[in-house]
């Protein structure tokens, strides 16, 4: 009961913060709303038993990545007069309509789903979500190759960013 | 909380065999890293060396890929699948990369891109493609798509002073990131419904009776993500601008390699994981295939720029190839005969499209307006060999015998008819007829019209070599396709077992 209460509180907050991100005129306010949304998500991960992911969510997303966002906003020195404002062209209305429809389908489809894998919390492995188990899964289990390939992905991204952004090569 | 007992085996079983089978991808990735380091000590005048080095690496990988026999097996705890399908597709990617590397150096010199990182990114993209050819798990497929896409976002904007190049890269990046997000969303739904990301696990779960809204949503989003990557209508909006704005050598590589890689993964996902849901996805894909080829061909009709025309024609060709996916038989009886047309056509498309782009890199210089069809006037008198090569590629794209394109189209159309999609085959034939018109136009201009303004086509050994290889392959496999068709069928058979 208490958990359900927490879950709904954080869900509503997360959606609300998400809406704030895309409706604020000031880029800095959007960024702060995004932080709030990240925190709500982290609390949900914690409730699902994924404590490590919850901590990483706060450290990496709400911490490191948000600092980058804020930094960029500061460097670009965005002001409100750059803002094109609300634009209710037929195209935008159509886009919003289609987006809403897709969202509704997702909501209905996902809430009607009966999955083979719904698992009550007390049946979880006692080590579920711990750093130890994640470590085993990543480094000696199934996900060794994708994990290593992600480092290739980061290399490509860094090389690409330098190639595109550096003044003189 | 009780302490975990560590898994008994820390080194996964069969790791050395996995690593051996993975060798072609290692060669490519290693070569890309070496170029990054080497670039620091090479004088600007000597940068041609990177082209040779990349080519060598690609040929070594191709030799390893084709020459080292690997038994069909899943490797890396089921993450990748080494089979005839992956070997075939890896060869297609390597050929595509080799041909476009041949086109690169002189063209890049002319447009002022003098950086070794270009070749690094080409190889990184190739590495991503090879992951897509082998990946047997949605997790690895997604990471592979990202490795490939990020390399291509940068490649299409690599002409950094050119506004259209930057527009191209930026558009591709924004749209591509969005599509990746949708794909990943779908993956998470499928994982939620079936409890696994492994393609065979998903198949088992579906056969075990998992169904319903969450799985359906997942499948729909995954298909939408792939349709974006292959530029099928209605997810094609980015393609013409990106193809036109990117450097010609990159566009040729993108239209063949990225398309083949996306089709490889798309085919594997549909045939291995979602075959049981065929009744649900076949009808929408059929409509999309029909609309894609019609729209691609109709819009290509009115293009005056050769590069843009080829961009729209690339959309149309994606439509033809989608036909093969629809024609698959859910009972998997006779699957090989029908779907192997896709593999054949992708290889054919790689040769004919890169052949055409070889000529485009000769035409395109630092000015934008040089690739117009009018600019081809009188090419046959100034440079008969190049004109003949381009004509052959265009004939093949149009599907006129005795070229590889004809054989490929024939197999695709026959597959659709055999699978009882006669209406789809009729639409394909009609749009193919439209295609003949616009493919013949450049040929008419080349051979029948005298040049007004002499174009500065400076054939270089590498580009002409690429064109010659492509032309030879188009003719050879157009006349003697049977061996290649056997390879394609073996590839598809290895997929469904």
């Amino acid at each position: 009961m208490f958990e359900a209460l927490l879950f709904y509180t954080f869900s509503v907050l997360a959606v609300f913060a998400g809406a704030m991100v895309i409706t604020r005129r000031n880029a800095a306010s959007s960024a702060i709303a995004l932080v709030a949304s990240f925190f709500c998500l982290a609390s949900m991960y914690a409730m699902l038993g994924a404590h490590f992911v919850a901590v990483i969510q706060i450290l990496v997303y709400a911490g490191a990545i948000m600092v980058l966002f804020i930094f960029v906003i500061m460097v670009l020195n965005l002001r409100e007069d750059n803002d094109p404002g609300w634009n209710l062209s037929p195209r935008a209305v159509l886009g919003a309509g289609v987006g809403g429809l897709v969202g509704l389908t997702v909501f209905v489809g996902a809430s009607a789903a009966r999955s083979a894998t719904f698992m009550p919390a007390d049946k979880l492995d006692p080590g579920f979500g711990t750093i130890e188990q994640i470590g085993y899964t990543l480094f000696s289990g199934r996900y060794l190759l994708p994990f290593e390939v992600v480092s290739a992905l980061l290399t490509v991204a860094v090389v690409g960013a330098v190639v595109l952004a550096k003044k003189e090569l | 909380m009780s302490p975990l007992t560590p898994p008994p085996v820390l080194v996964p079983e069969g790791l050395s065999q996995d690593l051996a089978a993975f060798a072609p991808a290692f060669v490519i990735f290693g070569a890309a890293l070496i170029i990054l380091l080497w670039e620091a000590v090479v004088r600007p005048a000597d940068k041609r060396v990177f082209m040779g080095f990349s080519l060598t690496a690609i040929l070594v990988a191709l030799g390893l890929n084709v020459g080292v026999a690997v038994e069909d097996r899943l490797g890396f705890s089921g993450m990748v699948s080494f089979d005839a399908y992956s070997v075939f597709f890896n060869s297609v990617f390597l050929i595509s990369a080799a041909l476009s590397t041949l086109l690169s150096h002189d063209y890049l010199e002319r447009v002022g891109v003098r950086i070794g990182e270009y070749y690094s990114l080409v190889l990184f993209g190739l590495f991503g493609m090879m992951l897509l050819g082998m990946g047997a798990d949605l997790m690895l497929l997604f990471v592979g798509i990202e490795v490939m896409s990020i390399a291509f976002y940068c490649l299409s904007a690599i002409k950094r002073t050119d506004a259209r190049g930057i527009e191209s890269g930026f558009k591709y990046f924004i749209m591509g990131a969005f599509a990746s997000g949708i794909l990943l969303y779908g993956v998470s739904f499928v994982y939620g419904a079936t409890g696994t990301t492994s393609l065979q696990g998903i198949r088992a779960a579906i056969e075990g009776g998992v169904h319903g809204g969450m799985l359906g949503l997942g499948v729909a989003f995954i298909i939408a993500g792939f349709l974006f990557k292959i530029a099928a209508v209605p997810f094609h909006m980015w393609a013409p601008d990106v193809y036109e704005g990117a450097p010609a050598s990159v566009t040729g590589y993108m239209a063949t390699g990225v398309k083949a890689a996306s089709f490889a993964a798309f085919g594997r996902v549909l045939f291995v994981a979602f075959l049981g849901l065929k009744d649900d996805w076949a009808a929408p894909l059929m409509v999309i295939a029909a609309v894609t080829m019609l729209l691609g061909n109709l819009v290509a009709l009115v293009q005056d720029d050769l590069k843009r025309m080829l961009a729209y024609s690339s959309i149309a060709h994606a439509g033809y190839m989608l036909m093969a996916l629809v024609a698959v038989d859910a009972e998997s009886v006779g699957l090989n005969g029908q779907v192997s047309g896709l593999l054949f056509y992708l290889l054919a498309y790689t040769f004919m499209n890169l052949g055409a782009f070889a000529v485009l890199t000769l035409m395109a210089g630092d000015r934008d307006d040089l690739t117009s069809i009018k600019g081809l006037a009188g090419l046959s008198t100034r440079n008969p060999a190049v004109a003949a090569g381009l004509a052959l590629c265009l004939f093949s794209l149009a599907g006129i015998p005795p070229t590889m394109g004809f054989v490929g189209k024939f197999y695709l159309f026959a597959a659709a008819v055999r699978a009882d999609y006669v209406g789809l085959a009729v639409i394909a034939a009609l749009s193919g007829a439209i295609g003949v018109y616009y493919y013949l136009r450049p040929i008419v201009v080349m051979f029948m019209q005298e040049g007004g303004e002499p174009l500065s086509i400076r054939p270089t050994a590498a580009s002409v070599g690429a064109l010659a290889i492509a032309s030879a392959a188009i003719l050879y496999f157009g006349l003697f396709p049977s061996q290649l068709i056997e390879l394609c069928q073996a590839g598809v058979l290895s997929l469904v077992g």
Side-chain angles (χ1 to χ4, degrees):
Chain A
M1 181 60 212
F2 180 59
E3 202 177 316
L5 188 71
L6 278 181
F7 173 78
Y8 284 112
T9 314
F10 282 121
S11 317
V12 170
L13 273 178
V15 173
F16 178 72
M20 295 273 282
V21 176
I22 55 171
T23 50
R24 293 303 89 192
R25 296 203 151 204
N26 189 327
S29 321
S30 289
I32 300 303
L34 195 57
V35 174
S37 171
F38 284 154
F39 268 97
C40 295
L41 283 182
S43 62
M44 281 186 213
Y45 295 147
M47 275 187 275
L48 288 169
H51 305 287
F52 178 66
V53 179
V55 172
I56 290 297
Q57 166 83 7
I58 290 176
L59 279 183
V60 175
Y61 284 85
I65 291 184
M66 278 322 295
V67 169
L68 269 183
F69 273 20
I70 303 270
F71 209 70
V72 170
I73 291 170
M74 239 169 60
V75 170
L76 290 182
N77 198 12
L78 288 179
R79 277 191 306 267
E80 282 184 29
D81 46 285
N82 291 335
D83 173 42
W86 289 102
N87 181 9
L88 279 182
S89 62
R91 222 180 176 164
V93 174
L94 186 73
V98 172
L101 209 64
V102 172
L104 197 69
T105 320
V106 169
F107 183 73
V108 172
S111 44
R114 289 286 166 272
S115 158
T117 54
F118 285 150
M119 193 184 274
D122 52 352
K123 283 205 181 144
L124 283 178
D125 191 274
F128 179 82
T130 58
I131 300 176
E132 196 182 2
Q133 203 181 42
I134 289 175
Y136 280 125
T137 322
L138 279 188
F139 296 113
S140 75
R142 230 179 121 56
Y143 295 102
L144 178 64
L145 184 67
F147 180 78
E148 294 298 339
V149 174
V150 166
S151 60
L153 175 63
L154 291 176
T155 313
V156 179
V158 169
V159 172
V162 171
V163 166
L164 291 188
K166 202 165 171 301
K167 263 210 185 95
E168 304 244 330
L169 278 169
Chain B
M1 207 179 275
S2 68
L4 278 177
T5 42
V9 186
L10 277 176
V11 177
E13 224 172 305
L15 187 64
S16 54
Q17 287 152 290
D18 291 347
L19 291 176
F22 206 65
F26 279 131
V27 169
I28 295 302
F29 191 72
L33 293 181
I34 290 173
I35 291 178
L36 281 184
L37 296 174
W38 196 353
E39 146 84 16
V41 294
V42 167
R43 279 178 304 150
D46 297 340
K47 295 213 167 161
R48 180 179 280 276
V49 71
F50 293 125
M51 182 171 89
F53 182 71
S54 311
L55 265 180
T56 315
I58 292 170
L59 291 181
V60 168
L62 191 60
L64 285 173
N65 185 45
V66 181
V68 180
V70 179
E71 51 183 305
D72 285 8
R73 59 196 288 270
L74 289 175
F76 293 107
S77 327
M79 278 292 152
V80 294
S81 174
F82 304 113
D83 47 26
Y85 186 82
S86 66
V87 169
F88 183 89
F89 269 110
N90 281 349
S91 309
V92 174
F93 310 148
L94 288 162
I95 291 171
S96 162
L99 288 178
S100 43
T101 304
L102 271 178
L103 306 181
S104 293
H105 181 78
D106 301 307
Y107 170 72
L108 292 175
E109 278 288 310
R110 219 167 334 120
V111 299
V113 177
R114 292 188 188 82
I115 49 176
E117 283 88 350
Y118 171 88
Y119 296 101
S120 254
L121 287 168
V122 164
L123 295 179
F124 280 136
L126 180 57
F127 176 70
M129 289 177 202
M130 294 172 84
L131 291 175
L132 284 179
M134 297 185 281
D137 190 292
L138 290 175
M139 196 74 93
L140 186 70
L141 286 178
F142 179 73
V143 182
I145 285 183
E146 285 308 285
V147 172
M148 175 182 82
S149 302
I150 287 184
F152 277 95
Y153 300 148
C154 303
L155 280 175
S156 43
I158 201 148
K159 214 172 136 195
R160 303 182 308 164
T161 48
D162 176 28
R164 295 208 308 174
I166 296 168
E167 181 200 340
S168 156
F170 201 67
K171 249 186 194 157
Y172 194 25
F173 172 62
I174 297 282
M175 309 274 256
F178 194 65
S180 296
I182 289 183
L183 180 76
L184 194 58
Y185 199 32
V187 171
S188 72
F189 274 129
V190 169
Y191 180 69
T194 63
T196 177
T197 52
S198 128
L199 297 184
Q200 290 188 334
I202 293 167
R203 174 192 215 141
I206 290 173
E207 279 167 2
V210 172
H211 62 95
M214 189 141 68
L215 182 65
L217 280 173
V219 175
F221 282 148
I222 290 177
I223 288 179
F226 277 119
L227 287 178
F228 173 88
K229 295 287 171 198
I230 61 174
V233 177
F235 308 101
H236 67 288
M237 299 295 193
W238 57 277
D241 291 345
V242 172
Y243 284 3
E244 195 186 3
S249 57
V250 174
T251 309
Y253 187 27
M254 194 155 42
T256 55
V258 172
K259 191 171 295 237
S262 311
F263 263 109
F266 197 16
R268 199 189 277 276
V269 168
L270 285 185
F271 300 155
V272 175
F274 299 146
L275 195 59
L277 302 172
K278 199 233 166 186
D279 294 341
D280 297 321
W281 52 254
L285 274 192
M286 186 183 79
V287 175
I288 286 172
V291 177
T292 302
M293 46 204 173
L294 274 179
L295 188 122
N297 277 321
L298 281 175
V299 183
L301 209 52
V302 294
Q303 303 302 324
D304 287 324
D305 184 275
L306 188 59
K307 205 170 170 190
R308 210 169 166 83
M309 186 197 95
L310 286 173
Y312 279 105
S313 101
S314 151
I315 296 175
H317 284 278
Y320 299 138
M321 292 183 246
L322 271 177
M323 219 163 47
L325 296 183
V326 179
V328 65
D329 187 352
E331 304 293 305
S332 95
V333 181
L335 178 87
N336 62 49
Q338 295 170 11
V339 182
S340 58
L342 171 68
L343 278 65
F344 189 92
Y345 203 80
L346 274 168
L347 185 61
Y349 185 68
T350 300
F351 282 125
M352 54 207 191
N353 205 38
L354 277 172
F357 270 94
V359 180
L360 260 183
T361 56
L362 289 176
M363 292 169 72
D366 33 14
R367 265 168 55 212
D368 285 336
D369 52 343
L370 292 180
T371 53
S372 76
I373 293 176
K374 278 189 208 122
L376 288 168
L379 182 66
S380 61
T381 47
R382 276 198 311 278
N383 219 314
V386 172
L390 178 60
L392 185 66
C393 293
L394 291 171
F395 274 133
S396 182
L397 282 165
I400 293 169
T403 57
M404 206 177 172
F406 165 73
V407 181
K409 266 213 183 74
F410 175 77
Y411 270 88
L412 287 181
F413 290 11
V417 172
R418 244 179 301 160
D420 268 346
Y421 289 102
V422 180
L424 188 59
V426 170
I427 294 177
L430 279 179
S431 55
I434 302 172
V436 172
Y437 174 77
Y438 67 78
Y439 287 125
L440 290 187
R441 216 174 104 209
I443 299 179
V444 170
V445 172
M446 262 191 305
F447 285 92
M448 316 261 175
Q449 290 181 11
E450 284 310 310
E453 180 188 350
L455 242 166
S456 51
I457 293 199
R458 292 150 286 192
T460 54
S463 318
V464 174
L467 183 59
I469 294 170
S471 309
I474 289 169
L475 267 184
Y476 179 80
F477 291 121
L479 292 170
F480 311 104
S482 54
Q483 267 183 320
L484 187 59
I485 287 172
E486 273 167 31
L487 277 180
C488 299
Q489 292 184 342
V492 175
L493 267 184
S494 75
L495 201 58
V496 289

